[in-house]
Amino acid sequence: MPSTEGHYLRRVLVTGGAGYIGSHVVFALQRTQRYKVVSIDNYHNSYPKALSRLEEIARSGLRADATETEKQSTVIDAYECDLTNPADVRAVFEKYGKGGIWGVVHIAAWKAVGESSEIPLTYYHNNVTATIYLLQIMSEFDCTRLVYSSSATVYGTPPLVPIPETTRLKADSPYGQSKVVCEAVIQDLMHSEPKRWRAISLRYFNPAGAHPSGLIGEDPRGRPGNLLPLLAQMAIGRIKESTLQVFGNDYPTPDGTCVRDYLHVLDLAAGHLLALDALAPDSTTFDNCPTPARYKAYNLGRGQGFSVLQILEAMRTTTGFDYKYNIIGRRRGDVPDLTADPTLAEKELGFRAKADLTTMCRDLWNWQTRNPNGYSSD
Ligand SMILES: NC(=O)c1ccc[n+]([C@@H]2O[C@H](COP(=O)([O-])OP(=O)(O)OC[C@H]3O[C@@H](n4cnc5c(N)ncnc54)[C@H](O)[C@@H]3O)[C@@H](O)[C@H]2O)c1
């Protein structure tokens, strides 16, 4: 989009911009002062307040002599819109016209593994149908650069750990399968029009932590499905329990509990900037594609796994809370070890997740103590 000084901001649409990962991706985009963010979110699992906090963070990062363009980059064009409603999504694209949106970071989805087995059709509709609508509308408006939020769950129970991207995709839940299907749909589209489209799927491992300001963080509606926010809410007293139910301690891992690869959400967000750069016309990232289609998938992880009990101990140290735990039976769909092989993303995108577990716990706890009830705290 042109500014009054003739500089250009790349207009990027972020779906799910108010959510946990989306808000940190929006932060990373705004910090560069090179992007103009458009957010689509229906706030099913998030709060619009995240976007006003993001504008606050972006404004506080402006120099006193900031240009008009830099000032424009702090304002988010936010639309309350459901991606399963194509007329509403098309109306957003119409506001900017053909070619008006440089690229899309498609983050919005439902993500609860257990729930997805109970209501699979709803999950496929929200995650897959919505993605197909979005791709159709992007095509209509000549918006042909996409970064897609995939997940380590696409690997199901992987035969080899750390997990390389060449692993055959075979998810164990409707949620995971919705990601496998979306990746396939995107890849097929890239094959059908290789000169027109470019896309990158980012397979996230376990994002954790929050922006160090404590202004944005993870605040799911209802009980957190992920371990770290659950422990943080227990420690702050939002969840009035002190005993963690641990699902199984007889897995083939060092202490028998499940192992996951945690990375700081800001490291993860930085990976999206690298992916967007790789979609630019002058990028060489796709030069070594085996086919003419310009499509790649990358693991975003640290390559270091931590067990449930190790996470519990790390949070005990950070919060000082006296957690108890209780071993109960294995949970359907749980996988012993999801640890990434992150070498491809490092080699081709220059991605490296630097922050360690202590930093992730510290930043999570900072967010939780400043916002005991999340975005509804004040
Ligand atoms: N958090 C994780 O551990 C994790 C791990 C791997 C992959 N992922 C993927 O990352 C993405 C973001 O996850 P998150 O943790 O930030 O979740 P989140 O629930 O905090 O964010 C998702 C956002 O998308 C919005 N949304 C969902 N459906 C929508 C729809 N139909 N229309 C408009 N908005 C909609 C929600 O309101 C929310 O703001 C998801 O695609 C998820 O599958 C997350």
Side-chain angles (χ1 to χ4, degrees):
M1 76 180 267
S3 75
T4 44
E5 296 116 13
H7 300 306
Y8 281 81
L9 293 173
R10 281 178 181 171
R11 192 181 281 112
V12 167
L13 169 66
V14 180
T15 71
Y20 172 48
I21 295 168
S23 57
H24 288 83
V25 169
V26 171
F27 160 76
L29 289 165
Q30 289 191 300
R31 189 169 62 168
T32 67
Q33 299 179 355
R34 287 193 292 129
Y35 292 98
K36 175 74 178 175
V37 175
V38 179
S39 165
I40 285 185
D41 204 305
N42 62 358
Y43 309 116
H44 172 82
N45 196 35
S46 58
Y47 300 85
K49 194 187 255 184
L51 299 173
S52 48
R53 296 252 179 110
L54 282 161
E55 291 185 331
E56 192 183 324
I57 296 172
R59 278 195 304 274
S60 69
L62 280 178
R63 296 183 325 274
D65 62 345
T67 63
E68 263 319 298
T69 312
E70 287 163 345
K71 285 182 192 158
Q72 280 177 31
S73 74
T74 66
V75 181
I76 299 165
D77 290 358
Y79 298 93
E80 181 168 354
C81 170
D82 193 317
L83 291 165
T84 60
N85 186 338
D88 288 356
V89 179
R90 189 172 284 109
V92 173
F93 275 79
E94 262 159 12
K95 286 201 187 292
Y96 304 104
K98 272 201 175 202
I101 294 179
W102 187 87
V104 172
V105 184
H106 179 32
I107 298 176
W110 289 3
K111 58 167 185 176
V113 171
E115 185 185 60
S116 76
S117 295
E118 290 155 23
I119 46 168
L121 290 182
T122 315
Y123 264 72
Y124 282 115
H125 185 56
N126 197 65
N127 294 2
V128 180
T129 312
T131 299
I132 294 172
Y133 287 150
L134 179 66
L135 291 167
Q136 286 169 336
I137 296 165
M138 287 173 67
S139 180
E140 277 171 42
F141 285 86
D142 271 342
C143 173
T144 52
R145 297 183 190 94
L146 174 73
V147 177
Y148 175 66
S149 293
S150 188
S151 163
T153 53
V154 296
Y155 296 119
T157 307
L160 182 69
V161 180
I163 311 164
E165 285 85 349
T166 46
T167 306
R168 200 164 74 88
L169 305 191
K170 195 187 169 304
D172 290 336
S173 67
Y175 162 65
Q177 197 56 28
S178 76
K179 296 282 168 186
V180 174
V181 172
C182 283
E183 281 203 32
V185 168
I186 294 164
Q187 192 168 6
D188 285 344
L189 180 61
M190 300 305 112
H191 277 275
S192 72
E193 291 184 282
K195 291 212 164 71
R196 195 163 170 243
W197 287 86
R198 289 173 178 225
I200 289 179
S201 291
L202 298 175
R203 296 177 184 155
Y204 308 159
F205 280 67
N206 282 53
H211 187 273
S213 66
L215 284 168
I216 54 168
E218 185 165 10
D219 184 20
R221 291 185 188 264
R223 189 185 171 90
N226 290 344
L227 178 59
L228 273 162
L230 181 66
L231 291 171
Q233 290 199 14
M234 283 165 72
I236 205 73
R238 189 173 177 188
I239 291 178
K240 304 214 178 315
E241 294 164 23
S242 58
T243 304
L244 178 75
Q245 308 297 343
V246 177
F247 298 106
N249 66 348
D250 56 351
Y251 287 99
T253 60
D255 64 20
T257 63
C258 289
V259 167
R260 297 289 178 266
D261 183 345
Y262 293 86
L263 77 164
H264 199 291
V265 66
L266 283 181
D267 283 332
L268 180 79
H272 294 70
L273 295 183
L274 297 169
L276 282 171
D277 284 343
L279 300 181
D282 56 351
S283 155
T284 55
T285 306
F286 296 95
D287 287 359
N288 63 353
C289 273
T291 66
R294 289 180 287 191
Y295 174 76
K296 294 254 178 155
Y298 296 103
N299 289 340
L300 295 189
R302 291 185 78 224
Q304 187 181 8
F306 290 97
S307 72
V308 174
L309 295 183
Q310 285 176 314
I311 295 296
L312 185 107
E313 286 315 314
M315 282 299 280
R316 189 195 304 281
T317 306
T318 304
T319 64
F321 185 72
D322 184 20
Y323 294 105
K324 317 254 182 320
Y325 68 89
N326 186 20
I327 307 287
I328 55 173
R330 289 185 179 194
R331 187 172 52 178
R332 214 177 121 220
D334 271 349
V335 174
D337 187 345
L338 284 177
T339 301
D341 177 347
T343 43
L344 190 68
E346 178 162 3
K347 187 167 154 245
E348 297 194 357
L349 295 179
F351 173 78
R352 216 163 143 238
K354 297 186 194 88
D356 61 13
L357 184 61
T358 308
T359 310
M360 294 179 227
C361 293
R362 183 200 65 201
D363 290 345
L364 165 62
W365 189 230
N366 179 49
W367 152 256
Q368 196 66 75
T369 47
R370 283 171 189 258
N371 306 272
N373 287 310
Y375 289 109
S376 315
S377 297
D378 49 46

